[in-house]
Amino acid sequence: MQSRHPLRVAIDGITASGKTTLADELSVELSRQRRQVIRVRMDDFHHLREHRYRQGSDSARGYYDDAYDFEALYHHVLEPLGPDGNRVYRTRMIDLASNTLINEPPEIAEPDDVLVTDGSFMQRLHRNDWDAVIFVNTSFPEALRRGILRDADQFGGTAGAEQRYTQRYHAAARLYLDEINPAHAADFVLDNDDLATPLLRRN
């Protein structure tokens, strides 16, 4: 039996926890099961750079408050794909690299599609609009190690990447963990420190 609207799945976690990898792997598996996947990344729902950095480029509070445009995600994705929505949605609103807003033609979902979205702070706003949330539970030291490996070139080397994560990304994640307790609020938790043996738990 088809659902009345697409299943809306959020992949939550701190920066460099493995959210995007899990979301991509889940999307592939759903496709193998002949489910149509709507893949959305919060990197495509950032605010413009001047908004993101209005509290300073190293500000943890600024990253927590100003990085992502969750209102745009709600109006263009979560609401139209919800129980009373028209299923007309958009998959991205900004090109992050060029800091340019995008106005692509909307798409139309089928009721049995599956929305898979990965990003940070996914349960801070609109928690009740997600049908399922998976929190990728990775320790700060392990996520920092992965983040430095991934982003050292972007931030001018290992020291620059470590500073960026410590002062901005992971400091903001600690605000989120303290305010929301996202592992407790999620429907599922994936313990992901050991990539060879991740463990999925249901809350």
Side-chain angles (χ1 to χ4, degrees):
M1 184 177 67
Q2 291 185 339
S3 61
R4 293 178 54 213
H5 66 90
L7 181 70
R8 299 163 298 173
V9 180
I11 311 296
D12 192 16
I14 68 174
T15 307
S17 61
K19 303 181 298 298
T20 301
T21 299
L22 176 60
D24 289 342
E25 291 175 348
L26 177 60
S27 298
V28 169
E29 183 58 34
L30 287 167
S31 296
R32 285 175 181 159
Q33 297 178 20
R34 300 185 179 181
R35 297 296 298 272
Q36 183 66 37
V37 177
I38 301 167
R39 186 69 176 89
V40 171
R41 299 167 177 83
M42 283 308 300
D43 278 352
D44 298 321
F45 281 84
H46 271 80
H47 284 289
L48 290 170
R49 188 177 295 124
E50 49 269 32
H51 183 103
R52 297 199 308 273
Y53 294 154
R54 61 184 180 175
Q55 298 186 58
S57 60
D58 289 328
S59 169
R61 190 82 232 178
Y63 186 62
Y64 191 38
D65 291 341
D66 300 330
Y68 297 106
D69 191 347
F70 283 105
E71 291 306 310
L73 181 76
Y74 175 76
H75 288 299
H76 293 288
V77 182
L78 288 175
E79 185 178 37
L81 298 183
D84 300 316
N86 59 10
R87 303 200 308 274
V88 177
Y89 68 95
R90 299 178 187 274
T91 58
R92 60 184 192 142
M93 302 299 295
I94 187 174
D95 180 85
L96 190 59
S98 64
N99 193 43
T100 304
L101 293 176
I102 296 171
N103 188 22
E104 295 176 335
E107 301 177 55
I108 302 176
E110 296 297 328
D112 59 346
D113 290 352
V114 181
L115 168 69
V116 178
T117 306
D118 68 284
S120 299
F121 319 138
M122 299 298 281
Q123 300 178 86
R124 188 183 184 194
L125 300 171
H126 313 300
R127 172 61 181 89
N128 293 333
D129 295 294
W130 295 108
D131 300 302
V133 176
I134 304 171
F135 182 79
V136 181
N137 185 36
T138 303
S139 67
F140 281 104
E142 176 60 17
L144 178 61
R145 184 189 69 81
R146 295 176 192 172
I148 290 172
L149 285 174
R150 184 184 70 187
D151 296 331
D153 289 344
Q154 179 182 349
F155 295 117
T158 298
E162 182 173 5
Q163 179 180 355
R164 186 71 160 192
Y165 270 80
T166 302
Q167 294 186 4
R168 183 167 169 87
Y169 299 146
H170 284 174
R174 293 181 191 279
L175 296 174
Y176 178 54
L177 266 58
D178 289 344
E179 179 182 333
I180 302 298
N181 192 2
H184 177 77
D187 300 293
F188 300 90
V189 175
L190 181 75
D191 293 325
N192 199 44
D193 265 13
D194 185 351
L195 295 176
T197 59
L199 176 64
L200 183 67
R201 300 181 279 113
R202 183 168 187 167
N203 277 342

